[in-house]
Amino acid sequence: MYNIPLFLCALILHVSCGHESSKISHITTVVQVPTNDWTLVKHAQQRDRHITPVKLTLIIKNEPRQVERLKVKFNKVSNPSHSDYGNYMSYDDLHKQYLKQTTKHGRYVARWLKQQHPQLRIKPTPHKEFIIIKSSISTIERVFQTKLNIYKHNLTGERIIRATHFKLPSNIHHRISYIEGLSQFPPTSRIINSNQMSTVSSAPILFHIRSAFSMFTIYVQLVCFNGDKASNSLCNDNFKGFEIMLRPMKQSGVSPIKYSLSQADSSCMICKYGIPSITNICNVLRLSNDSVLCVFDLTDDSIPNFTPYMISIRSKFFDMNSKIVYSQEVPYLSPVEKVVAMTPDILASLYNISGTNKPTSTLMRQAVVGFRQYLNKQSFYNFAKAYGNNFNLQPGKIYGDNYQNKSYDELETSLDLQYLASMGSGIPTDYISASQNFDGFLIDFFVQLAFLEQKKYIVMPLVYSISYGDSENEIGRSLVQICDFQFMKMGLTGKSVFVAAGDSGTSFVDNVCRDNFVSIYPASSPYITSVGGTQLIGSDDNECKRYIAQAPNICLEEIVAYTTPLTGCSITSGGGFSTFSMAPEYQKKHIDDYFQIGIDTLPPVTFFNNSNRAYPDLSLLAFNYMIKMNGNQDTAVDGTSASTPAIAGLFSSINDRRLQYNMKPLGFLNPLLYQLAEIYPEVFYDITKGGNNCNRLTCCKYGFSAQKGYDPVSGLGSINYDRLMKLLTQ
């Protein structure tokens, strides 16, 4: 999941309003925009001022009484116990009945802009809820009489173009709740886990062991026999390879296993001359350009899955007499299991999924929401060919732009589309590409929905998967309320939205332990279904009921996905409590039960607000997903970015069956899910082990722990799909 920083940008609007100008020429509202963490670099280059595009979105204010009326309707429509349950509204009816004043405000603002500034390109959405303005820097500066500067973020180095405040005539300002779009920046890169050990004489530095594709991938920095780190060479050609030892942790009758790798099989490269993937890993591990990194796979089908081993490694060298000598043996930090690479077939086996190739309704569609990602259709087709034989992956329509740039990363888009399409087998899978050059990255998505809703010939998706988010504090209360309102509208029109809970536990920023937890938005919104992550480990449970066909004799246990060398999981599932949103009614009893049962494991009360919305709501496997990238390259991925589209696809399939039976779609799911947990707890696999006190690099003192029943780490648990399908399609 990408960390998308959101920043409130600014413009200065001068006074002048046609026939009303005499009333407002000296009445303006000034809004200062925070510049914390940003440093002024320079003014925009003069030569770029006339061609650099700026896109603004004005969000028209909703009257508080309208919002409250709409919320009452939303709660009735979403509550399975209410007589109005499932009585969804069309987008047009929703605006006509509840948001007339919003449309009136929008028309007023659009008319004012056209009258005073005809050179601006203005495009309101239907019902005038959003007004999009496009122009160059020079035009924005001339029309709005401001100076746009280039700022650099002190921590990330990201650059944006913006002013520091904006002014509006008061009768315009009170009709607008937010203005965004003056920022343009690339996505923030993340740092993956590295368990670096100190050098012991000539022993190699064993960074990380990854279990993927039913094999071990080992990351090692080469150290020469004299104790110096290898620099620009393989220790002057004295290095001859590695010896790896696997020692089983359990008394299983399995003997230690020794492997010997030659220099050629060790795949050692000098960082600055390595292939792009090696260079990236060197940067992540903070190795110098002349360091030597060895990344190699240990493949042996005879090694059983889900059996923990202690793994150690030592280097082989030629001494002065051309005899083989060895370095000290370096053990890895903790046991590691060889795990199965997760594919749609394994998910089907684990979650009791059947009927993946049945006919689908023509009214059912599902969608991935993406931001600044390349969409590689060939990767999708090759995934379907390699791993979708028992599924029917159906590509759908593509909306928006900014998805054909091959310089963008494709990992998130490939992951989301491949698993939403496979778990939502047979259902057309659309892709909505939203611009990332926004303060509030969700706003462009909501704008696109508004335009799509007006095209009556389009069958709108009923299920949406979102794998992106940011710190709720960074987004700010105002923008959170705006987005919550839009999610409420989606629920009122029968749509279900699934959002990833994050991959850095309660920290959000890797390698940082705070004295208060960070909530992730939109995962923390009470109007969406938030999804956490789990992983599999071997279990000794005598009454075990979790098996997969790919490891039929091994009892499996589903635990919280957290950074651990045992499985090589590189993420920790997010979760916790919202910063701004109160606990919704549907969740209060479950939160109270959590506090009563888990009283001994709770973090200090100053770290979170225990009266607010808890998240996630559900969890699913989030570890070691096999995807296709770059056309046909196998890649293993961890993250709630994997669990979210997978579980969204499963509920999409349930929706599809309901439509075939002339039932209404599920819409906003949470009230139903929490009621099911009370009445039919067997539809959930309760996750009772693990916690989210770690992030990707560091384990902190405090976090939340999984326990029996609901918890803000795994939610209600993962799902028994077949049982849930039967219950919800009766």
Side-chain angles (χ1 to χ4, degrees):
M1 183 184 75
Y2 276 90
N3 164 23
I4 306 179
L6 311 177
F7 306 100
L8 176 60
C9 296
L11 63 161
I12 303 174
L13 294 181
H14 224 16
V15 189
S16 183
C17 193
H19 67 279
E20 295 190 37
S21 61
S22 60
K23 300 179 183 178
I24 64 172
S25 59
H26 299 292
I27 303 174
T28 62
T29 300
V30 180
V31 179
Q32 297 294 329
V33 179
T35 57
N36 298 340
D37 300 324
W38 291 91
T39 300
L40 174 65
V41 178
K42 59 183 177 180
H43 299 306
Q45 294 291 331
Q46 191 63 39
R47 57 184 168 80
D48 296 329
R49 308 189 79 80
H50 299 290
I51 59 174
T52 302
V54 176
K55 179 180 176 182
L56 313 179
T57 300
L58 280 60
I59 304 172
I60 304 303
K61 185 174 292 183
N62 294 303
E63 295 296 328
R65 285 181 297 177
Q66 290 182 330
V67 175
E68 286 305 312
R69 287 182 60 222
L70 199 71
K71 190 173 182 179
V72 170
K73 176 68 173 177
F74 173 83
N75 289 335
K76 292 177 180 178
V77 168
S78 305
N79 185 355
S81 301
H82 199 278
S83 59
D84 209 16
Y85 178 58
N87 289 332
Y88 304 119
M89 307 180 68
S90 71
Y91 181 82
D92 286 341
D93 287 344
L94 185 153
H95 276 268
K96 290 175 182 177
Q97 294 183 34
Y98 292 95
L99 301 176
K100 288 182 179 179
Q101 195 63 32
T102 303
T103 302
K104 184 177 179 180
H105 285 329
R107 286 174 178 163
Y108 186 92
V109 172
R111 185 168 61 249
W112 180 83
L113 286 169
K114 288 179 181 178
Q115 288 174 351
Q116 303 305 313
H117 312 298
Q119 62 269 56
L120 289 177
R121 288 184 292 163
I122 301 171
K123 184 178 182 181
T125 59
H127 305 290
K128 312 299 184 293
E129 189 176 13
F130 304 98
I131 298 176
I132 299 96
I133 302 173
K134 295 182 179 180
S135 192
S136 66
I137 290 178
S138 60
T139 302
I140 292 292
E141 290 181 329
R142 183 174 65 254
V143 171
F144 299 119
Q145 298 186 20
T146 186
K147 193 74 172 178
L148 302 184
N149 301 318
I150 299 176
Y151 288 81
K152 181 176 73 172
H153 197 273
N154 299 339
L155 296 178
T156 65
E158 295 163 328
R159 293 174 180 246
I160 63 171
I161 299 174
R162 70 172 184 186
T164 57
H165 64 282
F166 65 84
K167 289 181 182 179
L168 281 171
S170 294
N171 69 330
I172 298 298
H173 179 269
H174 85 266
R175 289 176 164 87
I176 297 173
S177 63
Y178 199 84
I179 300 175
E180 71 159 34
L182 288 179
S183 61
Q184 296 186 351
F185 49 85
T188 302
S189 61
R190 284 196 177 274
I191 300 174
I192 64 170
N193 181 43
S194 64
N195 297 308
Q196 182 170 353
M197 299 178 63
S198 60
T199 304
V200 182
S201 186
S202 58
I205 299 174
L206 179 52
F207 284 108
H208 184 61
I209 299 179
R210 163 91 185 181
S211 178
F213 310 112
S214 297
M215 64 187 179
F216 296 116
T217 301
I218 301 176
Y219 299 79
V220 177
Q221 183 181 4
L222 181 60
V223 176
C224 297
F225 193 64
N226 62 4
D228 294 337
K229 295 176 182 177
S231 176
N232 283 319
S233 74
L234 299 183
C235 301
N236 297 320
D237 294 328
N238 288 332
F239 168 68
K240 295 304 172 186
F242 294 112
E243 188 176 85
I244 302 102
M245 182 70 74
L246 276 64
R247 297 179 175 88
M249 290 292 295
K250 298 179 180 179
Q251 300 299 322
S252 57
V254 180
S255 301
I257 308 172
K258 183 188 294 184
Y259 298 92
S260 184
L261 263 70
S262 67
Q263 180 198 100
D265 292 334
S266 300
S267 302
C268 298
M269 295 188 185
I270 300 168
C271 287
K272 62 185 175 184
Y273 300 128
I275 59 177
S277 61
I278 291 293
T279 303
N280 289 337
I281 295 170
C282 288
N283 291 335
V284 165
L285 298 177
R286 297 180 174 88
L287 299 181
S288 62
N289 286 336
D290 55 3
S291 298
V292 177
L293 181 69
C294 308
V295 181
F296 54 88
D297 298 327
L298 187 61
T299 58
D300 186 347
D301 293 338
S302 66
I303 301 175
N305 293 314
F306 301 105
T307 299
Y309 286 90
M310 286 302 302
I311 300 179
S312 60
I313 185 171
R314 61 179 182 174
S315 302
K316 296 187 293 185
F317 300 96
F318 270 167
D319 66 8
M320 296 179 60
N321 299 317
S322 298
K323 292 183 179 179
I324 289 289
V325 291
Y326 294 92
S327 72
Q328 292 87 348
E329 188 173 302
V330 177
Y332 195 49
L333 296 176
S334 64
V336 184
E337 293 184 341
K338 191 181 79 168
V339 299
V340 176
M342 298 303 155
T343 64
D345 283 331
I346 293 181
L347 291 176
S349 179
L350 185 65
Y351 295 112
N352 199 18
I353 301 168
S354 59
T356 55
N357 274 311
K358 291 185 178 180
T360 57
S361 167
T362 56
L363 298 177
M364 187 62 211
R365 301 186 77 89
Q366 56 193 0
V368 164
V369 182
F371 303 87
R372 202 185 179 110
Q373 286 267 309
Y374 173 55
L375 195 162
N376 191 330
K377 295 180 181 179
Q378 198 60 46
S379 297
F380 183 90
Y381 295 132
N382 283 332
F383 178 87
K385 183 178 179 180
Y387 304 112
N389 292 332
N390 297 319
F391 302 83
N392 180 11
L393 280 73
Q394 288 294 323
K397 298 179 179 179
I398 302 175
Y399 301 109
D401 51 22
N402 213 24
Y403 63 88
Q404 294 179 316
N405 189 333
K406 293 184 179 181
S407 68
Y408 292 162
D409 188 13
E410 71 164 272
L411 185 147
E412 193 65 63
T413 300
S414 294
L415 170 65
D416 291 357
L417 286 171
Q418 288 165 19
Y419 278 89
L420 181 63
S422 54
M423 293 298 98
S425 180
I427 301 169
T429 305
D430 298 335
Y431 182 66
I432 301 176
S433 176
S435 169
Q436 194 176 312
N437 294 332
F438 274 69
D439 309 327
F441 63 98
L442 287 167
I443 296 301
D444 190 48
F445 164 58
F446 294 134
V447 169
Q448 289 196 54
L449 279 186
F451 283 119
L452 292 175
E453 290 281 6
Q454 289 303 105
K455 298 178 179 179
K456 305 305 180 185
Y457 58 88
I458 289 179
V459 178
M460 292 294 293
L462 288 174
V463 172
Y464 297 76
S465 176
I466 301 175
S467 293
Y468 299 76
D470 196 8
S471 161
E472 197 170 356
N473 271 325
E474 287 292 325
I475 294 174
R477 187 185 297 271
S478 176
L479 194 54
V480 163
Q481 290 174 345
I482 289 168
C483 294
D484 277 350
F485 181 77
Q486 296 299 322
F487 285 129
M488 195 190 309
K489 285 174 55 181
M490 293 181 74
L492 271 166
T493 55
K495 300 176 178 65
S496 303
V497 182
F498 296 83
V499 179
D503 297 337
S504 295
T506 58
S507 299
F508 183 62
V509 178
D510 297 334
N511 205 28
V512 174
C513 296
R514 303 174 181 270
D515 56 6
N516 55 15
F517 296 148
V518 179
S519 57
I520 306 301
Y521 189 86
S524 59
S525 169
Y527 303 104
I528 56 87
T529 300
S530 181
V531 184
T534 63
Q535 60 181 320
L536 294 177
I537 62 171
S539 174
D540 295 325
D541 187 353
N542 294 328
E543 298 181 0
C544 180
K545 298 179 181 178
R546 304 298 296 280
Y547 294 91
I548 57 176
Q550 294 76 9
N553 300 319
I554 299 175
C555 173
L556 299 176
E557 185 173 10
E558 196 173 4
I559 66 171
V560 173
Y562 67 95
T563 304
T564 168
L566 176 65
T567 61
C569 187
S570 62
I571 64 107
T572 296
S573 182
F577 290 80
S578 170
T579 302
F580 302 128
S581 300
M582 296 290 290
E585 197 63 38
Y586 61 76
Q587 197 184 44
K588 287 181 178 178
K589 180 184 182 302
H590 295 267
I591 294 176
D592 290 343
D593 290 345
Y594 167 73
F595 286 138
Q596 291 178 13
I597 297 173
I599 187 68
D600 295 332
T601 62
L602 286 176
V605 293
T606 57
F607 279 57
F608 64 101
N609 189 330
N610 59 12
S611 63
N612 280 3
R613 191 284 207 247
Y615 71 100
D617 303 298
L618 297 172
S619 286
L620 206 78
L621 200 68
F623 172 56
N624 213 27
Y625 275 56
M626 181 78 78
I627 70 168
K628 289 287 187 181
M629 283 181 59
N630 302 321
N632 200 29
Q633 174 189 328
D634 283 321
T635 304
V637 182
D638 299 350
T640 54
S641 297
S643 54
T644 301
I647 204 168
L650 295 178
F651 277 95
S652 195
S653 294
I654 295 173
N655 250 345
D656 178 62
R657 186 77 58 84
R658 288 173 64 89
L659 293 179
Q660 292 182 56
Y661 292 169
N662 294 319
M663 301 171 73
K664 294 179 180 179
L666 292 169
F668 177 56
L669 277 167
N670 290 9
L672 171 65
L673 294 176
Y674 285 88
Q675 286 192 28
L676 287 174
E678 291 287 319
I679 305 170
Y680 302 103
E682 69 274 10
V683 303
F684 301 104
Y685 294 115
D686 196 8
I687 312 300
T688 60
K689 292 183 181 180
N692 65 355
N693 59 301
C694 298
N695 50 52
R696 298 197 195 207
L697 291 174
T698 304
C699 285
C700 305
K701 184 176 181 180
Y702 297 114
F704 297 103
S705 298
Q707 64 179 35
K708 185 175 176 60
Y710 179 83
D711 56 71
V713 186
S714 64
L716 297 168
S718 59
I719 64 171
N720 184 330
Y721 169 82
D722 193 56
R723 179 74 174 125
L724 202 56
M725 171 69 85
K726 291 175 181 176
L727 270 176
L728 298 182
T729 56
Q730 289 178 352

